[in-house]
Structure formats: structure tokens, C-alpha cells
Amino acid sequence: MSADIPSYRPTIGLTTQTLHSIDGIPPALPSSWVMNQRYFHAATAAGAVPWMIPLLDDDLPTLRAIYERLDGVLIPGGVDINPAEYGESVRPECGNLDPARDLVELQLVRWAIAEGKPVLGLCRGLQIINVSQGGTMWQDLASQNSAFHKHDFFPTAGFERDHIAHEVTVVEGSRLSQMLDCVRCPVNSMHHQGIKTLGRDLLVSATADDGLIEAIEGRNDGFCIGVQWHPEVFEMTDPQTRQLFGAFIDAAATWSAANQPMSHAPRVGVGAP
């Protein structure tokens, strides 16, 4: 944990994934919600209190109650978004789907953007932000557009998660450019889908050399950033990645102070003799 963690640590909700949406999971295993620990460690190191969000897609009141206790929402990577969410049929190249996760994440992001609550999307998370605002996706970059370079450097194909796949060009003057001290930034890449059309009130903040959108941000004042790579892999070693997570956590703390002031009040009587 970093030494500069603020006295108030904002609560960040991290969504989960249905266990059986992952390849190779035996059907006999009990239904479970899971997520890579690296996201939680990265959020904690930046000063957050991470909160694991269950996929209560059929219980909107409870999901809303969870959301209201959060100071920010982090959408991690994972399986493909159901193309029905952006008005398309499923192509053969589309991978595994997790409809419950889609519904929960899209709802959380729509609430957060509407209310200005900070949102950070990583890989799939960028795609969820885009779809939540009416954007569409390439279901499979390689088969749908030959102009795209290789982006699917998956660990299941023998690549390490920290494999530097290519560079992205950060848009000058973007919010993201204020967090990253580079115009040409090296990134890892573990996706076979990408943004086709940009959602409403979103701006492009980084692109790959083949023209694929690699980062987006909200047009409005609230913190809303999505990146197509996996910065959580580098959080412990890369200062620029730490600045991205740090800016998100700072924004969550600021939002909380303005909108949930009781969270910052001292606890009276707790531990008193």
C-alpha cells in the first residue's frame, strides 16, 4: 500500500464475472461470482477500499443500494459483451458471454455517468462504457476488418499479461493526457473486440496505429475514463499507471466529500472507554 493514501479512503465497487462464463469450468462446480485479484490490489494500493459487487441482475433495488454506498465504480476486463446490447446478432467469432454481468455493469455505469460518480473501465470496462452510451462494437477485429493489427495477445496463447504489444497515441489536451507523461505510450493488449462507433457524450483520448480506439473519456466534468489495455498489471511498477489509478481514487474521494459528507464525519463513540 502506498505511503500517500489519503485519510479518507473512498469505497470503490468492482464488478465480478460468472464463474461458468469462463472456458474450462466444470459444470458441477457451484454457481459463483469471481474476479482477478489484481484489480483489487491495484485499487487498494491507490488508496481505495475495494468492494466486490455481486451480479444481482434480477434484484435492482439491492443493486441500487450497493451502488449508493460506493464512491466510484471500476469495471474490470472479462468475457465479451452480448451483441444484443448494441443491437446486433452474435457472430460465430464472438466469445463467451455473461448476460448477468452485462446487465449489472451497464446499469451501474449509466447511473454513475448520469450522477457524475467516477467510473474507470479497463479493457472490457472501456467497451461497457461505450455500449452504455449507445456505442457499438466490432465483435471480432481480425475477421471483420483486415486493417486492424493483432490485438489478441492472450495468456491462453502463451503471452504474459505484461507483454508490451504496441503503442497508443494519446490525444493532446485530453484528461488522460494529464495523467500519462507520454504521447506515445506502450501498452499490453488482451482483446479481440473493439469500439466500432463511439457512444454519445464520449471523446476519444487514445488510438492505436491501426486507428482502433484505445481510450475514451466522458465529455462532461465527471471522471469517466476507459482504456482498452490492462494497466492493473503494471500498477506496482509503472509510475504512469499509478497516476491513472491515483487520479481515479482522488476523484472518488472528491465526489464523496461533495455528495456523501457523512462518510467523512468522525465516528463518535467507537472505541471510547
Side-chain angles (χ1 to χ4, degrees), residues 52-171:
M52 195 171 184
I53 300 176
L55 301 181
L56 300 173
D57 61 307
D58 58 352
D59 187 353
L60 195 63
T62 300
L63 183 64
R64 179 69 195 191
I66 292 171
Y67 166 81
E68 289 177 351
R69 288 161 171 79
L70 304 177
D71 302 317
V73 177
L74 195 159
I75 308 295
V79 298
D80 294 345
I81 301 170
N82 189 342
E85 297 293 349
Y86 47 91
E88 294 187 8
S89 300
V90 178
R91 291 175 57 91
E93 302 86 2
C94 190
N96 294 352
L97 305 177
D98 190 347
R101 183 178 179 186
D102 293 341
L103 292 172
V104 166
E105 290 183 339
L106 289 168
Q107 183 62 78
L108 291 171
V109 169
R110 286 169 180 147
W111 280 335
I113 289 178
E115 299 171 20
K117 184 175 290 189
V119 177
L120 177 63
L122 308 180
C123 198
R124 171 191 159 97
L126 165 140
Q127 299 170 9
I128 283 287
I129 292 172
N130 188 58
V131 172
S132 79
Q133 301 305 293
T136 63
M137 303 297 302
W138 296 104
Q139 292 187 44
D140 184 67
L141 298 170
S143 63
Q144 289 187 273
N145 192 327
S146 60
F148 290 128
H149 302 162
K150 181 178 176 63
H151 289 268
D152 54 347
F153 295 85
F154 294 131
T156 51
F159 296 96
E160 297 295 331
R161 293 183 69 85
D162 61 357
H163 171 75
I164 298 300
H166 60 80
E167 293 184 330
V168 300
T169 300
V170 180
V171 174

Side-chain angles (χ1 to χ4, degrees), residues 199-265:
R200 61 186 175 274
D201 295 324
L202 297 175
L203 300 171
V204 176
S205 48
T207 58
D209 290 346
D210 57 9
L212 185 67
I213 296 171
E214 288 278 340
I216 58 176
E217 55 192 59
R219 187 183 297 273
N220 301 321
D221 292 338
F223 187 105
C224 177
I225 289 180
V227 300
Q228 187 62 86
W229 58 94
H230 281 266
E232 78 283 352
V233 174
F234 304 106
E235 194 281 332
M236 297 301 294
T237 58
D238 178 40
Q240 294 191 87
T241 296
R242 288 209 151 193
Q243 290 179 73
L244 173 60
F245 277 97
F248 170 55
I249 301 308
D250 288 346
T254 299
W255 184 91
S256 181
N259 294 276
Q260 299 186 150
M262 287 303 294
S263 299
H264 300 259

Side-chain angles (χ1 to χ4, degrees), residues 9-14 39-41 43-44 48-52:
R9 299 176 59 188
T11 300
I12 301 298
L14 291 92
Y39 298 105
F40 295 88
H41 289 307
T44 303
V49 175
W51 188 325
M52 195 171 184

